Amino acid sequence: GKLVQQLHTTLDELGIIEDNANTEMPRVITAYGMDDEQTIRLLLELHGDPMHPAQSLYCSELTVAAELDAFLQRVEAFPSLMFALVGVDRLLLSAREALLRWTSKLFMELSGQVAQLGKLYLVFLRQAGVEIFSFLPIQRFSSEQL
């Protein structure tokens, strides 16, 4: 609510928010074996510019549902921005299932419609759990491409 509005005002004042809203479903990015530096270069290639810290969430086994929910609220609140959820494979199964429910709901609601959410990349650094998101478009990257 209030925090998202404040973030929206700040990003608008900095000129980060553009008028062109996203029209795509979230996309799975496989970046197996990439280290932190390679992952940052991947995000630069996908976005073109460094992302604001609020536009990315680096996941671990300690990422809690509240963090994931807050991040997904930002994705929904800023349809003209790009977001990256990095290390989806590191999420606990319960958090990955919550993400699956969120993306599945979008898929069902938005089939044939224009999406009203930020462009979201689900970045997998290992193969664990990627198959449950097979209904989303998948883009494969290797460290040699960067």
Side-chain angles (χ1 to χ4, degrees):
K2 198 175 203 182
L3 185 59
V4 170
Q5 288 176 332
Q6 184 179 10
L7 180 61
H8 194 282
T9 302
T10 302
L11 293 174
D12 192 34
E13 289 171 357
L14 293 172
I16 295 175
I17 295 180
E18 300 173 7
D19 291 332
N20 54 338
N22 174 50
T23 59
E24 297 179 23
M25 288 295 296
R27 179 177 299 268
V28 171
I29 302 293
T30 61
Y32 302 149
M34 287 193 186
D35 60 26
D36 290 342
E37 182 181 330
Q38 293 167 328
T39 303
I40 290 170
R41 286 199 316 239
L42 170 65
L43 294 178
L44 283 171
E45 182 163 320
L46 292 170
H47 188 254
D49 293 311
M51 292 172 34
H52 187 277
Q55 291 174 260
S56 59
L57 178 62
Y58 286 79
C59 303
S60 75
E61 297 82 11
L62 302 176
T63 303
V64 295
E67 289 175 287
L68 184 60
D69 289 343
F71 180 77
L72 295 175
Q73 285 177 7
R74 288 193 298 273
V75 172
E76 292 175 353
F78 300 99
S80 63
L81 296 180
M82 187 196 104
F83 296 87
L85 194 55
V86 180
V88 175
D89 49 278
R90 296 177 182 157
L91 289 171
L92 291 176
L93 183 58
S94 59
R96 219 177 305 152
E97 287 173 342
L99 179 61
L100 176 63
R101 282 190 298 275
W102 184 83
T103 54
S104 297
K105 182 180 175 204
L106 283 175
F107 185 78
M108 297 305 290
E109 289 177 355
L110 300 175
S111 291
Q113 299 179 29
V114 175
Q116 293 298 310
L117 66 151
K119 185 171 193 161
L120 176 61
Y121 291 107
L122 305 177
V123 182
F124 285 78
L125 302 173
R126 298 175 303 170
Q127 198 167 354
V130 71
E131 63 281 348
I132 65 172
F133 295 95
S134 62
F135 61 94
L136 296 173
I138 297 177
Q139 195 170 353
R140 290 172 173 75
F141 282 89
S142 66
S143 55
E144 292 81 34
Q145 290 176 276
L146 304 176

